[in-house]
Amino acid sequence: MKCKETAVPGMILGLLFFCCLMACSQPEEPIRIGISTWAGVEPAELAARKGFYEKRGVDVEMVRFSAYKDSIEAFREAKVDADMQTFDDAIRLYAAGRKMKVVLFTDYSFGGDGIVARKGIDTVSDLKGKKVGVEIGTVSHFSLVKALDTAGLKEEDIVIASIPAWEIKGAFIKGKIDAGVTWEPYLTSAAKDGGGRVIITSRDYPKTIVTTMVMSDDMISRRPDDVQKVVAAYFDAVKFMKAHPGEAYAIMAQAEGESVEEFTAHVEGIRYIDIETNKAAFGTMQDGELFDVGRNLTDFLFEKSMIKTVPDIAGLMDGGFVNNLR
């Protein structure tokens, strides 16, 4: 009887130890990163296809969405752990209560966004009294205001039609609008297929439209080492792209469903942000180059009633992972 009394607890302890060992040895779930069509974010996909995440020791699953809005919603609903999204959308989600951080900046638009207009509308000044399609409360709307300002115009001087950026091309071709604000690949193809022309691009207001990788606070708190590996692998891809642009562009073009020539043309409209430029963007003590951009976007979103409160941008940005890189 005494043997049985001592054996049972021993068996239980052994079983508990075995279960603990098995639990500890279980592989982590892959970090799911949402991505949609935009040349500036494709280094994240390149990192997956070239095995850079794996080489860094982290399992990543790229989740591609055909519509950008679906990518945002997936991150909002925690269906993905990270997402590639514009700075203004990150601010909007953060202001709405999403626990998240910007962990790196991917690129800024330098001609990849702009305004397409009908024949006879040759300058921004010619937009006065015209119907212009734009997605209200987005960075496209913000850039439209900046473009109008260069011509001495205000929003009240045009007729605004609220249309998602990816639907601008269709509305323009069908003659529903006189002009529209969108991005590549829709910008160039809208001008070509709709018989119009691009009258102004983000080259005229650089570092206004910035794209980011955002990560959930939950993932950062539970697996900070893996988040660090994701960030490192992303910049491995950026370095590879600079060293081997031909191979890199072919891979990224395939991911976007474009020819290499089309993808290369779109790359000309952006500027990729490398490690050192990221460090300058984050800066220290809220003095980074993109803090002012974030504050301006926040004020704009609040003014347009797209957010209910003005969040502290410093709470959204986490440059620690970038600053850890050498």
Side-chain angles (χ1 to χ4, degrees), residues 30-37 41-42 44-45 48-49 53 60-68 70-75 78-84 255:
I31 294 178
R32 292 164 56 84
I33 302 177
I35 189 171
S36 56
T37 302
V41 302
E42 288 301 341
E45 181 72 41
R49 299 197 182 195
Y53 296 122
V60 165
E61 178 186 350
M62 299 302 298
V63 183
R64 186 166 288 273
F65 296 88
S66 57
Y68 173 55
D70 293 337
S71 177
I72 296 173
E73 285 305 308
F75 183 72
K79 293 179 180 178
V80 293
D81 306 298
D83 193 36
M84 317 303 290

Side-chain angles (χ1 to χ4, degrees), residues 11-326:
M11 290 174 62
I12 293 174
L13 286 174
L15 182 60
L16 288 173
F17 176 76
F18 176 75
C19 291
C20 181
L21 185 64
M22 289 298 293
C24 291
S25 63
Q26 288 294 317
E28 294 277 12
E29 289 291 318
I31 294 178
R32 292 164 56 84
I33 302 177
I35 189 171
S36 56
T37 302
W38 176 247
V41 302
E42 288 301 341
E45 181 72 41
L46 179 63
R49 299 197 182 195
K50 289 297 295 182
F52 294 136
Y53 296 122
E54 185 179 359
K55 289 177 183 177
R56 287 286 183 173
V58 59
D59 189 10
V60 165
E61 178 186 350
M62 299 302 298
V63 183
R64 186 166 288 273
F65 296 88
S66 57
Y68 173 55
K69 64 181 178 64
D70 293 337
S71 177
I72 296 173
E73 285 305 308
F75 183 72
R76 184 200 303 273
E77 297 172 4
K79 293 179 180 178
V80 293
D81 306 298
D83 193 36
M84 317 303 290
Q85 55 187 239
T86 55
F87 201 4
D88 64 302
D89 281 321
I91 293 169
R92 196 194 313 244
L93 285 180
Y94 181 63
R98 182 68 164 103
K99 305 300 183 183
M100 58 189 280
K101 295 288 187 294
V102 170
V103 295
L104 64 86
F105 293 99
T106 64
D107 69 286
Y108 65 86
S109 182
F110 193 70
D113 295 71
I115 300 176
V116 59
R118 300 203 170 287
K119 286 183 178 179
I121 301 176
D122 300 318
T123 67
V124 176
S125 298
D126 296 332
L127 291 176
K128 188 172 183 178
K130 300 296 191 298
K131 189 174 184 179
V132 182
V134 66
E135 189 171 6
I136 298 296
T138 65
V139 72
S140 292
H141 187 189
F142 182 64
S143 64
L144 172 62
V145 172
K146 292 182 74 69
L148 291 172
D149 187 60
T150 65
L153 298 178
K154 298 184 181 300
E155 289 183 77
E156 295 76 19
D157 295 319
I158 63 174
V159 179
I160 290 183
S162 182
I163 303 172
W166 50 90
E167 295 180 10
I168 290 293
K169 176 182 175 179
F172 183 72
I173 292 174
K174 293 176 182 177
K176 294 182 178 180
I177 53 177
D178 300 305
V181 187
T182 188
W183 59 72
E184 297 292 7
Y186 313 112
L187 183 65
T188 299
S189 59
K192 179 181 177 182
D193 299 341
R197 57 172 296 183
V198 176
I199 60 173
I200 190 171
T201 74
S202 49
R203 284 177 182 265
D204 299 291
Y205 39 88
K207 295 188 178 180
T208 297
I209 302 173
V210 186
T211 312
T212 73
M213 176 188 284
V214 295
M215 186 77 64
S216 70
D217 280 359
D218 175 65
M219 182 57 66
I220 291 173
S221 63
R222 289 192 298 109
R223 297 166 61 183
D225 291 344
D226 282 343
V227 174
Q228 183 67 68
K229 292 172 183 177
V230 168
V231 173
Y234 175 87
F235 287 108
D236 289 341
V238 172
K239 291 177 182 176
F240 178 86
M241 179 180 63
K242 290 185 176 181
H244 309 281
E247 181 182 351
Y249 286 8
I251 293 171
M252 295 189 290
Q254 183 184 47
E256 296 238 331
E258 296 181 327
S259 68
V260 175
E261 292 74 22
E262 288 173 325
F263 185 82
T264 302
H266 297 158
V267 169
E268 292 176 359
I270 61 175
R271 292 293 182 269
Y272 288 107
I273 304 177
D274 60 17
I275 294 175
E276 293 307 315
T277 309
N278 256 274
K279 289 180 178 180
F282 281 107
T284 58
M285 301 300 290
Q286 303 184 34
D287 64 349
E289 293 179 356
L290 291 182
F291 268 93
D292 283 342
V293 173
R295 293 187 184 103
N296 289 337
L297 284 170
T298 299
D299 291 342
F300 174 78
L301 291 171
F302 183 71
E303 178 187 329
K304 299 301 178 184
S305 300
M306 302 309 296
I307 56 177
K308 295 180 180 179
T309 59
V310 177
D312 179 11
I313 290 298
L316 171 62
M317 298 171 68
D318 186 347
F321 298 104
V322 167
N323 287 325
N324 286 338
L325 300 176
R326 296 292 181 265

